[in-house]
Amino acid sequence: MNAAFLLIGIVIVICILMDRFVEKLPIPPLLVFIALGMCFGENGLLRIPFDDYEAVNLICSASLVFIMFYGGFGTNLKAARPVAAPAVVLSTLGVAGTAGAVGLFAHFVLRLPWLESLLIGSVVSSTDAATVFNILRSKKLALKNHTDSLLEVESGSNDPMSYMLTAVCIALLSGRQVSIPLLLVQQLALGIGAGLLMGRIAVWILGKSLLATQQSRTVFLFGVVLLSYALPAMWGGNGYLSVYLCGILLGNARMAQKKYLVHFFDVVTGVAQVIIFFLLGLLVTPVQLPQVLLPALAIMIFLTVLARPLVTGVLLLPFRPSLGQVGVVSWAGLRGAASIVFAISAVLSGIETTYNLYNLVFCIVLLSMLIQGTLLPRVAGALSMIDEHGDISKTFTDYQEERDISFIKIHLGSGHPWLGRALRELSLPSDLLVVMVVRGERTIVPNGGTRLEEGDLLVLAAYPFEEREHLRLSEMAVERGHRLSGRTLADIASAPDAPKYLIVLIQRGQETVIPTGSTVIQPGDVLILAESGARPKLQDGAPEA
């Protein structure tokens, strides 16, 4: 156990330290974690022998549950409504068509048995939500004609269909007597029913304020995610479909302090993605991959160049898409973690296949992410599908159009320039709003005609500062003897050794001072500094805020 904890700790630290570096790479970031797992594996630098398919299947399946939930939770139905119909068609008929096309190719070109060919097609038939979301967000890839929303909904909702087809093929290869129509109906009915029921119950409970703290609400939803998958799965239903639908209902419901839930599940799914791709890289034996490299490459090329474009073009034809949209949607059909997890399920079922199914699917996914994922921004640009003025975050519900508001107060003392003026005469910025005026014992909800009097306390609302890569806030404590102590801001700014930061606020005891050029820095002041640039080293040893 100590060795396992040591390995987990090392991997987490490495992944966190690599995060900012990985984002700047031209390849999909998740590929790096696969490579990291391979470096730890038995043919890598650390040569750790690891072939526990059952443990990986359990961990990756649990991680996939949260990825599926967050895929639904992050789906903005308002943004996705224009593309809902084509997305549903692609996530159902598109998956089935892709599986059939790959099955035909594997049977007639690779000379594999029919059921084995269809199993391969079923396993790799879905577009991976985690990979697509990761690329769209990390590359800030906003696409025209709601194409980003189309990809989001399609990739987030097609894993259940792929899982159903895989389950049918495994059952047939195992020699079990199954009724395919009954199995599909059971999977769909229980999956849809359980997902909608759990989602509505959770929304009702959260709306009744039965949970006192944000922590209890977060833990409650964590349990809801597990239940929405496990309940239908125990009775032969599609747990992935259930948890996805539950996520959609919860993600699009109005609830207090939703941003905390978004942050929590964003972290959980981020960790889940890293765990999945690291474990898949650790599980694979690289020296065995050359045996399946050529068939994997052939399937990947056929899937990318012929199967996906053909199926996508035919199914989208009634919706009159542009050629650019068809091209981007076709190219963005990346394979990912779900395909490999489904392949592990097939391996654990004990069925015999011509090729090692795990290694074959692993290579297909690796090639898909490396080629399609890396070139996706260029393909979108070449097809003139990038929306330069769009915001990819608006296609996800963790983008809050009703963003958090910060409140500030201004006391109107004697001689204040606003005295006697109506609010409409102040020429305030459009995103700065006077929401309340406290006048003695009275509280006034103002309008444009409200005139301000001496002694009024104004409460203003504005958007809070959000740290950016090239702009950040930090703090500096001024001790006795500090070089800034006793100097005015004007003197500091005009000195030859003027600092490269701007003092925007001073915390002086219980008082908050908005400084001017004549403000004198005093011992004990805490200065709020604004800096530009890519995180330069602070002067005077100022710590980050």
Side-chain angles (χ1 to χ4, degrees), residues 233-366:
M234 287 182 63
W235 298 96
N238 194 317
Y240 293 113
L241 178 60
S242 173
V243 78
Y244 177 73
L245 292 175
C246 180
I248 288 180
L249 286 179
L250 284 163
N252 288 274
R254 289 193 173 274
M255 58 183 71
Q257 300 298 317
K258 184 178 180 181
K259 66 173 184 176
Y260 294 108
L261 298 174
V262 170
H263 293 163
F264 173 77
F265 284 106
D266 199 37
V267 171
V268 169
T269 52
V271 172
Q273 290 176 17
V274 171
I275 288 174
I276 285 179
F277 284 95
F278 174 81
L279 285 177
L280 297 179
L282 182 66
L283 183 62
V284 75
T285 305
V287 295
Q288 298 176 358
L289 296 183
Q291 303 170 16
V292 297
L293 185 57
L294 288 180
L297 180 61
I299 292 173
M300 183 267 167
I301 292 175
F302 172 78
L303 182 57
T304 305
V305 178
L306 288 176
R308 170 80 176 183
L310 180 62
V311 171
T312 300
V314 170
L315 293 179
L316 290 184
L317 190 59
F319 303 101
R320 301 182 181 277
S322 65
L323 289 177
Q325 186 175 43
V326 173
V328 170
V329 173
S330 299
W331 189 265
L334 283 79
R335 312 304 115 178
S339 296
I340 306 180
V341 173
F342 297 159
I344 293 176
S345 299
V347 171
L348 289 175
S349 69
I351 59 176
E352 297 291 334
T353 54
T354 305
Y355 296 106
N356 182 304
L357 188 61
Y358 177 80
N359 289 342
L360 179 69
V361 175
F362 182 89
C363 281
I364 294 172
V365 169
L366 201 63

Side-chain angles (χ1 to χ4, degrees), residues 436-445 453-457:
M436 187 169 66
V437 176
V438 179
R439 183 173 293 165
E441 299 296 325
R442 296 170 56 203
T443 298
I444 302 171
V445 179
E453 302 177 2
E454 183 177 345
D456 283 352
L457 178 67

